[in-house]
């Protein structure tokens, strides 16, 4: 019988592709992409109502956020104009 006591079915571990598909998921900060919303002008920092925690910032205000993302180990940013 396929599930007899003492027998361990290994059909999902037979090939690398199957192991990758059913294996544990682990995430690292370097795998994330953080959205940055850029606005025209200088000194602009406006909250985005539909996205709590996100702000539309002018280019001169992005340095602090980029430094924080780098410290967290975030791998990439995606700019939205």
């Amino acid at each position: 019988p396929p599930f007899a006591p003492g027998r361990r079915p290994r059909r999902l571990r037979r090939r690398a592709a199957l192991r990758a598909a059913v294996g544990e998921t682990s995430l690292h900060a370097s795998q994330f992409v953080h959205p940055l919303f850029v606005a025209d002008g200088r000194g602009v920092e406006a909250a985005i109502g539909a996205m709590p925690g996100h702000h539309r910032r002018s280019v001169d205000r992005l340095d602090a956020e980029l430094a924080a993302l780098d410290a967290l180990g975030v791998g990439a940013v995606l700019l939205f104009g």
Side-chain angles (χ1 to χ4, degrees):
F3 295 106
R7 184 180 166 146
R8 296 175 55 203
R10 291 182 172 88
R11 66 183 176 81
L12 295 179
R13 292 183 272 162
R14 206 170 302 174
R15 294 185 179 84
L18 279 172
R19 286 192 302 273
V22 299
E24 292 291 325
T25 301
S26 61
L27 295 173
H28 188 268
S30 64
Q31 295 172 294
F32 290 108
V33 177
H34 185 78
L36 291 177
F37 301 92
V38 183
D40 286 337
R42 298 181 68 73
V44 176
E45 187 163 340
I48 301 173
M51 298 177 71
H54 290 278
H55 294 79
R56 190 171 291 110
R57 294 180 170 92
S58 55
V59 174
D60 61 324
R61 295 277 180 126
L62 291 179
D63 286 343
E65 186 164 2
L66 289 171
L69 292 171
D70 187 43
L72 291 172
V74 174
V77 296
L78 183 60
L79 297 176
F80 292 93

